[in-house]
Amino acid sequence: MVRKLTILFFVFFIGCEINSEQLIKSERVNFEHVKFNAVSKSLNFNNSQSGIEVNYTKNLITDWFNNNIKTDGLEGSLNVVVNSIDIKKTREDEYYRFEINLSIEFTEINQILNKSKTYKVNSLDYGDIKGNFSINDIENLNKNITLKSLQNINKKIMQM
């Protein structure tokens, strides 16, 4: 009888472990360095939205700016302005959608030549989950879509 109960509990715990498996895995993204012809750089946020995802996005953009936006000029400055971080979340029965719209403006200013170049880059990305999912799946989806959006901004600015 004890053997049968032990086997029953073992099967039950294995079944619970299989059902608790995450659907969405956290991704890692490596950004390529973007170089601008400037000496100094600054980052500003013009965003009125607030929340956990917006703060996460701001931190991610700040890290990306500090580590991947490089200056290699002898004069001038680079101003990066995050004009908007718009996040929309939809949650219904067994459905979740996360959408992020980023708008970033890059302005190279050369005071000596009295010239400036402005690049406006937008990214709209979304992801959704259908079926049974956990809170960790939602958080991983939000982070992955935010990373994907910033990666798209990085690719677009490299092509300019």
Side-chain angles (χ1 to χ4, degrees):
M1 179 71 171
V2 173
R3 289 183 186 166
K4 291 180 183 177
L5 282 175
T6 306
I7 292 172
L8 180 65
F9 281 128
F10 180 72
V11 170
F12 176 73
F13 287 125
I14 294 295
C16 290
E17 183 65 31
I18 291 172
N19 287 335
S20 69
E21 193 174 302
Q22 284 187 327
L23 298 173
I24 308 292
K25 303 291 183 192
S26 185
E27 293 181 13
R28 288 211 165 266
V29 175
N30 291 326
F31 298 105
E32 294 185 41
H33 294 296
V34 181
K35 292 185 180 181
F36 287 93
N37 189 17
V39 175
S40 64
K41 63 181 182 177
S42 66
L43 175 66
N44 298 311
F45 292 94
N46 292 340
N47 188 21
S48 60
Q49 235 185 358
S50 63
I52 295 170
E53 289 86 8
V54 174
N55 290 335
Y56 174 77
T57 304
K58 285 181 179 180
N59 290 336
L60 186 66
I61 290 172
T62 302
D63 289 343
W64 169 73
F65 176 78
N66 291 333
N67 297 323
N68 297 8
I69 302 295
K70 304 294 182 185
T71 56
D72 67 351
L74 299 173
E75 56 197 40
S77 63
L78 172 68
N79 297 325
V80 178
V81 178
V82 180
N83 290 322
S84 68
I85 303 171
D86 295 322
I87 294 176
K88 295 178 186 171
K89 298 184 281 185
T90 305
R91 185 165 186 171
E92 297 173 2
D93 292 337
E94 297 190 9
Y95 178 78
Y96 178 77
R97 179 183 171 106
F98 181 81
E99 180 178 297
I100 184 167
N101 186 358
L102 284 178
S103 177
I104 302 178
E105 187 174 300
F106 298 83
T107 305
E108 285 182 294
I109 300 170
N110 189 331
Q111 291 89 359
I112 294 174
L113 297 176
N114 201 17
K115 291 173 116 180
S116 68
K117 292 180 188 175
T118 301
Y119 309 99
K120 294 181 182 181
V121 184
N122 296 318
S123 176
L124 174 64
D125 294 286
Y126 69 92
D128 54 7
I129 309 173
K130 296 177 184 173
N132 293 327
F133 48 86
S134 68
I135 293 173
N136 284 339
D137 291 327
I138 291 173
E139 291 174 357
N140 285 339
L141 177 72
N142 294 353
K143 291 176 183 178
N144 291 345
I145 298 302
T146 304
L147 282 169
K148 180 181 173 187
S149 184
L150 192 54
Q151 186 177 31
N152 288 339
I153 294 280
N154 196 79
K155 286 179 184 176
K156 287 178 182 178
I157 199 66
M158 288 191 66
Q159 294 173 354
M160 294 183 165

